Amino acid sequence: MHLLDVDDLTTDELTAVLDRAAAIKDPDGEDASDLLDQQTLGMIFEKPSTRTRVSFETGMTQLGGHAIFLGPDDIHLGHGEPVKDTARALARYVDFIMARVYDHEDVEGLAAYSDVPVINALTDEAHPCQTLADLLTVREHFGGFDVSVAWVGDGNNVCQSFVLGAAMVGLDLTVATPEGYGVDDDVLARAADLGTAPETTHDPEAAVADADAVYTDVFVSMGQEDEREAKLAEFDGFQVTTELLGDRTLLHCLPAHRGEEVTDDAIESDNAVVWDQAENRLHAQKGLLAWLALQ
């Protein structure tokens, strides 16, 4: 069993992962301190990340296991050797492989040749681990998924996985992006097959009108630095301000580019649950690892 995007899980499996995460997070819940005793997670990083590395490494430690960081200077994915060779070798050493890379085909290649679970910790197309944390956060703060969320910004990898997750749990979602920056058609089709595709618009104010929460992410993702000036111009009017947010809950996967996709006062307001969201990366990933260990 691999997790390359959130819809690799069935709806029942997604619920089971979230339930396991909640049980492990609860101080009076499941004691999972030796659940992954003597097990190892190999962590492949082409892209750096504070939250991804610390949450996975801490999570493995708290579950009684061990994590090994493999950065760009430690492993040359698809360059020094073919991806399939890396997958087959690592699978002889570790119990799980986590990869945070640029090309989605690289995690597909790892999964195709690995005998142990491969977890996508971010590619240019998808970020399923973030969606697990997002859904856990929404469920905690609203008591379930009878919630309306407006995504305002770029239809990027985080958005695309969230679209799928929202469809799986029945969350009402509207996505507002500038023209040319929307969610891929194939992702919208997958969401429709899973439940309901989101409403799409190019009007942020219309998107948030009936929303309980507003979700945004950076306009310029890692690796897009050369597009920065052009993208910022295209995204004029899509910044989440306190005026646009109103009394709605603010979600952001972090890191935030304050003053670009979100204002400082909005992210520092009492409406923001971004720190709970960040913490839930740890708990959601522990729930995922615990669930995968039993498959």
Side-chain angles (χ1 to χ4, degrees):
M1 176 75 194
H2 307 293
L3 184 73
L4 307 189
D5 209 341
V6 67
D7 58 341
D8 286 340
L9 301 168
T10 66
T11 299
D12 287 345
E13 289 170 341
L14 174 58
T15 299
V17 170
L18 296 177
D19 287 347
R20 196 69 187 274
I24 293 172
K25 179 179 180 179
D26 184 351
D28 299 319
E30 178 182 357
D31 179 7
S33 57
D34 61 355
L35 186 65
L36 299 184
D37 183 41
Q38 299 299 307
Q39 295 195 43
T40 302
L41 170 69
M43 304 190 302
I44 298 172
F45 279 83
E46 283 187 337
K47 290 184 172 185
S49 171
T50 302
R51 277 152 289 275
T52 297
R53 178 176 179 178
V54 175
S55 60
F56 266 110
E57 194 162 337
T58 300
M60 281 299 292
T61 300
Q62 292 179 354
L63 294 173
H66 175 64
I68 298 173
F69 176 80
L70 299 167
D73 295 332
D74 303 309
I75 190 168
H76 302 286
L77 194 68
H79 305 294
E81 67 176 359
V83 170
K84 60 184 179 181
D85 290 1
T86 298
R88 287 183 288 205
L90 278 181
R92 301 292 182 104
Y93 304 138
V94 303
D95 302 281
F96 310 91
I97 297 172
M98 182 227 81
R100 182 181 173 89
V101 298
Y102 288 94
D103 195 337
H104 195 76
E105 290 183 358
D106 284 341
V107 293
E108 292 176 332
L110 288 169
Y113 290 93
S114 171
D115 292 329
V116 301
V118 172
I119 300 168
N120 175 10
L122 180 141
T123 65
D124 286 344
E125 294 182 19
H127 199 351
C129 290
Q130 182 63 54
T131 294
L132 295 179
D134 298 339
L135 295 178
L136 185 61
T137 305
V138 169
R139 194 172 79 166
E140 287 177 349
H141 279 269
F142 292 97
F145 296 115
D146 185 15
V147 181
S148 178
V149 178
W151 176 280
V152 177
D154 192 11
N156 60 11
N157 48 3
V158 175
C159 179
Q160 296 201 143
S161 288
F162 189 70
V163 163
L164 298 173
M168 293 174 73
V169 301
L171 188 153
D172 180 50
L173 178 63
T174 301
V175 176
T177 68
E179 292 189 32
Y181 294 96
V183 177
D184 289 347
D185 288 341
D186 72 298
V187 173
L188 294 175
R190 284 157 62 192
D193 289 341
L194 290 165
T196 305
E199 295 290 329
T200 59
T201 180
H202 303 305
D203 184 345
E205 292 188 2
V208 307
D210 298 317
D212 302 300
V214 178
Y215 196 164
T216 191
D217 189 16
V218 295
F219 295 155
V220 183
S221 298
M222 196 178 302
Q224 297 179 340
E225 288 78 10
D226 58 341
E227 305 172 33
R228 179 179 181 78
E229 294 306 318
K231 288 198 76 173
L232 291 182
E234 293 280 357
F235 281 80
D236 183 42
F238 282 80
Q239 184 183 74
V240 176
T241 62
T242 53
E243 290 75 23
L244 184 70
L245 182 64
D247 62 357
R248 303 171 186 90
T249 297
L250 175 64
L251 297 162
H252 194 305
C253 64
L254 303 179
H257 293 173
R258 298 175 184 231
E260 292 183 8
E261 79 278 359
V262 65
T263 58
D264 187 78
D265 55 353
I267 204 167
E268 290 291 347
S269 73
D270 292 339
N271 298 78
V273 297
V274 299
W275 311 115
D276 295 334
Q277 198 179 353
E279 179 186 338
N280 278 336
R281 284 291 303 276
L282 170 66
H283 305 300
Q285 288 159 188
K286 287 168 68 176
L288 174 64
L289 289 163
W291 182 83
L292 286 172
L294 298 176
Q295 302 311 300

